[in-house]
């Protein structure tokens, strides 16, 4: 790995930690309903929202009530977004010639944005109107992220509370997270991005004359910065333009790229520290954060190294892929010169570790091993930082599994954060962890036996299979990035991937809240000499081991047929 | 921000009464809350937020907010400094190959090639591009910088590497009737190093370089 890349990764992680720790503390105050300093000016808005919605924020919800509220809110969101897309041609601000989104793509997109996936079976600047992007997609970028954080909050309350039946109030969590965390952060990030050159206008294009002849050309514009800020912060990832953050008006420089990269991991990293605060033991949050880092850093280093080495298939030609003072070098197909290989590869792992899914380079064109790491990071279940909220509750399910396995080794009833882990919790955790994995593998298997689905791939040989595997991994784990050569706009993929996204979101949320309800009712177990401490390097190692082992056992056979086979075919 | 706890909230050890769930409020009340809060989010996050960002951006940063458009000496808007455009005249520096379809560098429909590293079509396309560059300048016999034979992620990459620009100097200088040393110096003036020394790769903005070239040569190249 080049010195540039090492420095960039090091600075990135340092800045990330420096921002995530205070933000984590702040989010804990938001979730506890405490006073928020200068942002208390928004308190009248909060109270007004509760009043018109007929909500009493202090009303405690049971696990079942909380789940019902989450599901109903998501259903209403998906229906509204579907309707907006189908009607976009007849509502105001519609540019001429933009039609209604076809039903299959509209279903897929409605599910995709309400599940915080942001898989895009469409090209933003060619399919959606600016109004759809603003009041449809941008809104879900906020609230689907807030839903994730709310579910996390309820889950953590299950550990933190003693002999309780209430898990908090979903509406209050939703409103407070949106109002006090997501909106202020997005406002700041959006304006900083505009300063770097990201466009923000209500106009939809500019007409320019080409310098080298060839007449006039249209440059698509729009309210881009506001959507980009929240797509990064909320681990949504759905870009304004077709090529997402590779588009120069969505991500104009390596400085803009660095800011957007920070925004990808900022909230997922901060929530680890929020978790520590909420269970009144900061060390627990640090341990989970370090476990995530221990998986993230090696896979990032591997990806950067693979891409810096360049494409062996071009080595036979008189092409110079080496790095020097005059060029970054490396595998530049599908990458932008202003980012270079190092920032592109760092982005590829950050966006797949978090379930963000925005891209600043085309993962489809990565070297086989460079593309394997992002794919596997998704398949690990989006728990290495993961989606806002969803990543951490996923990782805590792995922690539950890890104490269970440790308990089996020594023959003791496992405990986590003072709560006894029993049969019900383990069953629910296993369901939540295996359903996305099953949806990935079974979906990919169904696709490769469906001629239309195979015909939609764009590359021959093992890489075509990788495109399919990536699509189902991305959908079932709510990531949203793609090996984008695959044409996913046909009926098979819009429906199958839509179902995979639904399973990957709600078949995890329901068991998570069920566990929370059971745990909250339990009285804490007093610490004893036999308690496995869950903040030590030993536990971090155990947690990392469980995540990697489950990920490897489940997916190595499929990966062998895709990226690994492709790697072996290269010269 | 808050490394030390505040004094006002009760300390954790004071064991507040544990919350108990209240009876449900019924489906209709839940549905009302969902619909009203989604509508409120639509107004706040879907209208007020983007409009606020647009307002501030248009007032404080109008150039960036509207696409960093570039006006040539004759007053024509010749593109965006951030968005690549096609150059094919031998007297201009060429950008990277573009995968947008059907027109290259179509800023209304961004796209990458998505060709896998193992796809024979990628190697074939790169070989053809090497041949094209060599044919345009028989003196350029060295290895071709990778950025000149690979398509970018967006199809709109505004930049090439400094090596990619230097590779084209003899062709451009011949076509323009300029001293190659002078053109090379122009390229060097337009190199943007990595930001802060470590962010991104060194690059040359093709549109800005070609505009400077037009100024140096006193006009556009003969076609």
């Amino acid at each position: 790995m080049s010195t540039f890349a090492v420095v960039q990764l090091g600075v990135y992680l340092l800045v990330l930690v420096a921002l995530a720790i205070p933000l984590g503390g702040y989010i804990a105050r938001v979730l506890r309903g405490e006073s928020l300093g200068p942002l208390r000016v928004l308190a009248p808005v909060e109270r007004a929202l509760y009043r018109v919605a007929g909500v009493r924020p202090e009303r405690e919800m049971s696990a079942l009530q909380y789940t019902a509220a989450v599901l109903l809110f998501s259903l209403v969101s998906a229906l509204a977004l579907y309707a907006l897309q189908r009607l976009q041609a007849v509502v105001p601000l519609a540019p001429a010639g933009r039609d209604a989104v076809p039903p299959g793509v509209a279903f897929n997109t409605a599910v995709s944005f309400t599940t915080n996936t942001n898989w895009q079976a469409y090209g933003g600047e060619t399919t959606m109107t600016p109004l759809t992007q603003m009041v449809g997609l941008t809104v879900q970028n906020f609230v689907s992220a807030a839903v994730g954080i709310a579910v996390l909050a309820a889950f953590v309350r299950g550990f933190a509370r003693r002999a309780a039946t209430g898990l908090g109030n979903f509406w209050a969590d939703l409103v407070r997270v949106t109002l006090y965390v997501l909106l202020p952060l997005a406002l700041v990030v959006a304006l900083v991005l505009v300063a770097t050159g990201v466009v923000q206008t209500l106009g939809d294009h500019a007409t320019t004359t080409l310098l080298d002849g060839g007449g006039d050309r249209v440059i698509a514009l729009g309210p881009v910065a506001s959507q980009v800020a929240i797509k990064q912060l909320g681990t949504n990832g759905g870009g304004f333009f077709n090529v997402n953050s590779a588009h120069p008006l969505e991500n104009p420089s390596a400085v803009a790229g660095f800011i957007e990269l920070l925004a990808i991991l900022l909230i997922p990293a901060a929530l680890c520290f929020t978790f520590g605060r909420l269970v009144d033991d900061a060390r627990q949050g640090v341990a989970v954060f370090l476990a995530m880092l221990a998986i993230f850093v090696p896979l990032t280093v591997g990806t950067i190294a693979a891409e810096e080495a360049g494409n062996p298939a071009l080595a036979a030609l008189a092409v110079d892929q080496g790095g020097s003072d005059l060029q970054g070098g490396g595998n530049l197909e599908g990458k932008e010169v202003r980012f270079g290989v190092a920032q592109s590869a760092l982005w590829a792992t950050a966006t797949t570790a978090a379930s963000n899914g925005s891209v600043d380079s085309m993962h489809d064109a990565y070297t086989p091993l460079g593309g394997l790491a992002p794919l596997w990071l998704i398949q690990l279940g989006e728990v290495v930082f993961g989606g806002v909220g969803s990543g951490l509750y996923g990782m805590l399910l792995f922690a539950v599994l890890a104490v269970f396995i440790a308990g089996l080794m020594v023959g003791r009833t496992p405990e986590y954060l003072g709560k006894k882990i029993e049969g019900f919790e383990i069953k629910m955790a296993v369901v939540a962890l295996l359903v996305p994995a099953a949806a990935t593998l079974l979906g990919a298997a169904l696709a490769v036996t469906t001629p239309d689905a195979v015909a939609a791939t764009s590359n021959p040989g093992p890489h075509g299979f990788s495109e399919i595997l990536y699509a189902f991994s991305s959908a079932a784990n709510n990531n949203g990035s793609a090996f984008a050569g695959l044409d996913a706009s046909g009926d098979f993929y819009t429906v199958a991937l839509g179902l995979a996204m639904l399973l990957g979101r709600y078949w995890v949320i329901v068991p998570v809240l069920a566990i929370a309800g059971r745990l909250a009712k339990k009285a804490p177990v007093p610490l004893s000499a036999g308690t496995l401490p869950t903040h030590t390097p030993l536990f971090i190692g155990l947690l990392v081991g469980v995540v990697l082992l489950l990920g490897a056992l489940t997916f190595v056979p499929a990966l062998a047929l895709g990226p690994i086979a492709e790697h072996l075919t290269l010269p | 921000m808050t490394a030390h706890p505040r004094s006002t909230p009760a300390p954790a050890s004071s064991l507040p009464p544990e919350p108990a769930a209240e009876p449900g409020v019924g489906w209709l009340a839940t549905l009302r809350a969902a619909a009203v809060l989604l509508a409120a989010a639509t107004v706040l996050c879907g209208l007020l937020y983007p409009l606020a960002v647009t307002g501030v951006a248009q007032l404080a940063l109008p150039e960036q907010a509207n696409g960093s458009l570039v006006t040539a000496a004759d007053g024509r808007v010749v593109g965006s400094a951030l968005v690549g455009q096609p150059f094919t005249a031998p007297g201009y520096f060429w950008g990277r190959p573009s995968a947008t379809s059907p027109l290259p560098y179509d800023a209304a429909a961004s796209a990458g090639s998505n060709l896998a590293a193992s796809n024979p079509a990628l190697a074939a396309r790169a070989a053809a591009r090497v041949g094209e560059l060599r044919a345009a300048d028989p003196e350029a016999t060295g290895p071709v910088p990778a950025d000149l034979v690979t398509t970018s992620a967006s199809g709109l990459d505004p930049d090439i590497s400094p090596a990619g620009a230097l590779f084209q100097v003899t062709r451009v200088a011949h076509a323009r009737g300029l001293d190659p040393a002078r053109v090379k110096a122009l390229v060097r003036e337009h190199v943007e190093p990595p930001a802060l020394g470590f962010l991104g790769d060194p690059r040359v903005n093709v549109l800005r370089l070609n505009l400077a070239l037009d100024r140096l040569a006193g006009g556009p190249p003969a076609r």
Side-chain angles (χ1 to χ4, degrees):
Chain A
M1 200 163 85
S2 69
T3 326
F4 276 132
V6 173
V7 173
Q8 182 158 210
L9 178 60
V11 172
Y12 176 71
L13 293 174
L14 282 177
V15 177
L16 180 69
V17 171
L19 293 173
I21 292 176
L23 179 65
Y26 172 78
I27 296 175
R29 300 222 305 278
V30 171
L31 293 174
R32 280 175 164 159
E34 291 169 13
S35 174
L36 300 170
L39 283 176
R40 67 178 177 273
V41 296
L42 293 171
V45 180
E46 186 193 350
R47 284 194 298 272
L49 289 176
Y50 295 145
R51 206 164 41 242
V52 285
V55 165
R56 277 196 302 117
E58 69 284 355
R59 195 180 79 81
E60 286 288 329
M61 291 178 169
S62 68
L64 197 62
Q65 293 165 2
Y66 205 103
T67 310
V70 169
L71 295 182
L72 202 63
F73 181 75
S74 302
L75 179 67
V76 170
S77 294
L79 292 177
L81 187 51
Y82 180 82
L84 179 65
Q85 293 176 79
R86 299 289 294 139
L87 296 173
Q88 71 169 8
V90 295
V91 295
L93 284 178
R98 204 68 59 87
D99 294 328
V101 181
V105 174
F107 160 76
N108 185 274
T109 307
V111 168
S112 171
F113 278 71
T114 46
T115 56
N116 199 250
T117 308
N118 292 28
W119 172 268
Q120 294 170 293
Y122 60 89
E125 67 268 50
T126 50
T127 311
M128 299 293 171
T129 64
L131 189 79
T132 306
Q133 302 240 30
M134 267 168 52
V135 307
L137 306 183
T138 303
V139 172
Q140 283 308 316
N141 283 353
F142 278 95
V143 296
S144 69
V147 167
I149 297 177
V151 171
L152 171 71
F155 190 46
V156 175
R157 287 177 192 130
F159 285 105
R161 291 179 172 179
R162 293 166 296 276
T165 51
L167 293 178
N169 185 293
F170 171 68
W171 308 117
D173 290 335
L174 178 75
V175 167
R176 290 179 64 82
V177 167
T178 307
L179 206 56
Y180 297 121
V181 181
L182 298 175
L183 265 174
L185 272 177
L187 202 60
V188 172
V189 172
L191 289 173
V192 171
L193 287 178
V194 174
T196 67
V198 180
V199 294
Q200 179 73 23
T201 163
L202 297 182
D204 64 359
H205 71 278
T207 307
T208 68
T209 311
L210 295 177
L211 188 61
D212 190 15
D216 288 352
R217 280 288 185 87
V218 166
I219 299 179
L221 304 174
V224 179
S226 53
Q227 185 172 331
V228 172
I230 187 61
K231 90 168 185 203
Q232 301 299 76
L233 287 165
T235 59
N236 300 285
F240 192 92
F241 297 111
N242 183 40
V243 294
N244 209 284
S245 278
H247 196 294
L249 295 177
E250 196 161 325
N251 192 2
S253 66
V255 173
F258 190 77
I259 295 164
E260 291 188 23
L261 256 174
L262 279 173
I264 290 178
L265 289 190
L266 179 61
I267 296 180
L271 286 171
C272 295
F273 303 107
T274 304
F275 161 65
R277 291 289 183 96
L278 291 179
V279 297
D280 278 319
D281 184 354
R283 298 171 308 176
Q284 303 293 342
V286 173
V288 171
F289 177 79
L290 290 177
M292 291 177 174
L293 214 53
I295 300 173
F296 177 69
V297 172
L299 287 172
T300 302
V301 169
T303 307
I304 295 176
E307 293 305 296
E308 280 183 339
N311 180 358
L314 298 186
L317 306 170
V319 173
D320 180 9
Q321 300 185 81
S324 71
D325 288 349
L326 293 174
Q327 64 168 12
N331 174 28
L332 284 172
E333 181 70 19
K335 295 191 183 67
E336 304 277 304
V337 166
R338 63 189 178 282
F339 308 132
V341 159
Q343 189 171 94
S344 300
L346 171 56
W347 185 301
T349 48
T351 195
T352 49
S355 77
N356 186 290
S358 67
V359 295
D360 76 344
S361 56
M362 292 297 130
H363 296 184
D364 213 352
Y366 272 46
T367 61
L369 297 185
L372 185 149
L375 175 55
W376 198 45
L377 273 166
I378 296 173
Q379 292 171 337
L380 292 180
E382 290 300 3
V383 296
V384 181
F385 299 107
V388 288
S390 60
L392 186 54
Y393 62 64
M395 192 54 139
L396 294 179
L397 292 177
F398 272 108
V400 164
L401 203 59
V403 294
F404 171 68
I405 291 168
L408 287 182
M409 290 179 198
V410 294
R412 276 185 56 95
T413 309
E415 301 152 22
Y416 187 53
L417 306 170
K419 292 292 175 83
K420 222 177 231 170
I421 304 297
E422 291 165 297
F424 179 80
E425 288 82 23
I426 292 299
K427 280 181 216 156
M428 288 294 123
V430 168
V431 165
L433 295 175
L434 289 188
V435 164
T440 301
L441 293 175
L442 296 176
L446 183 64
V448 295
T449 51
T450 307
D452 282 355
V454 174
T457 59
S458 71
N459 283 291
H463 196 86
F465 173 70
S466 299
E467 288 182 344
I468 294 172
L469 182 64
Y470 197 105
F472 280 93
S473 302
S474 178
N477 293 288
N478 295 160
N479 180 278
S481 67
F483 273 5
L486 182 76
D487 176 6
S489 62
D491 287 342
F492 175 83
Y493 284 110
T494 53
V495 173
L497 295 174
L499 294 176
M501 289 187 265
L502 287 171
L503 284 174
R505 178 77 163 178
Y506 301 107
W507 211 302
V508 179
I509 283 183
V510 172
V512 158
L513 290 173
I515 294 175
R518 279 290 187 103
L519 288 178
K521 288 180 188 146
K522 296 185 184 186
V525 199
L527 282 180
S528 72
T531 304
L532 173 71
T534 51
H535 61 271
T536 57
L538 177 70
F539 180 75
I540 294 171
L542 182 66
L543 180 54
V544 169
V546 170
V547 172
L548 293 183
L549 200 64
L550 195 65
L553 289 176
T554 315
F555 291 108
V556 162
L559 292 171
L561 296 174
I564 296 170
E566 186 192 1
H567 178 70
L568 297 175
T569 66
L570 282 175
Chain B
M1 200 161 68
T2 52
H4 49 86
R6 299 186 157 227
S7 52
T8 35
S13 57
S14 71
L15 295 179
E18 287 297 332
E22 296 179 26
V25 291
W27 286 105
L28 274 180
T30 308
L31 190 62
R32 172 187 165 195
V36 169
L37 289 178
L38 179 65
T42 304
V43 174
L44 269 178
C45 309
L47 288 172
L48 292 181
Y49 158 71
L51 291 178
V53 176
T54 308
V56 176
Q58 290 290 338
L59 284 175
L61 302 156
E63 199 197 314
Q64 291 95 322
N66 292 307
S68 306
L69 300 179
V70 176
T71 309
D74 59 5
R76 287 178 308 159
V77 176
V78 291
S80 162
L82 300 175
V83 180
Q85 52 179 281
F87 288 100
T88 51
Y92 276 130
F93 286 92
W94 299 345
R96 303 178 62 189
S98 164
T100 66
S101 169
L103 293 171
Y105 284 95
D106 184 354
S110 56
S113 75
N114 287 309
L115 289 177
S118 61
N119 195 327
L122 173 67
R125 198 204 62 211
R129 176 76 174 171
V130 169
E132 196 185 339
L133 287 161
R134 291 262 161 81
D137 181 7
E139 285 177 41
T141 49
V144 185
D147 56 303
L148 291 186
V149 303
T150 49
T151 62
S152 63
S154 63
L156 304 173
D157 197 334
D159 303 309
I160 52 178
S161 69
L166 293 171
F167 184 85
Q168 303 181 50
V169 160
T170 49
R171 185 197 76 226
V172 172
H174 281 161
R176 294 280 191 147
L178 290 167
D179 175 12
R182 188 69 197 85
V183 178
K184 196 181 255 184
L186 192 72
V187 170
R188 298 253 181 216
E189 285 165 28
H190 281 78
V191 170
E192 295 174 58
L196 306 174
F198 67 92
L199 287 177
D201 281 354
R203 58 194 174 122
V204 176
N205 183 298
V206 180
L207 177 61
R208 288 197 193 284
L209 177 62
N210 282 330
L211 284 169
L213 190 65
D214 280 354
R215 282 195 295 275
L216 182 73
R223 292 193 64 82

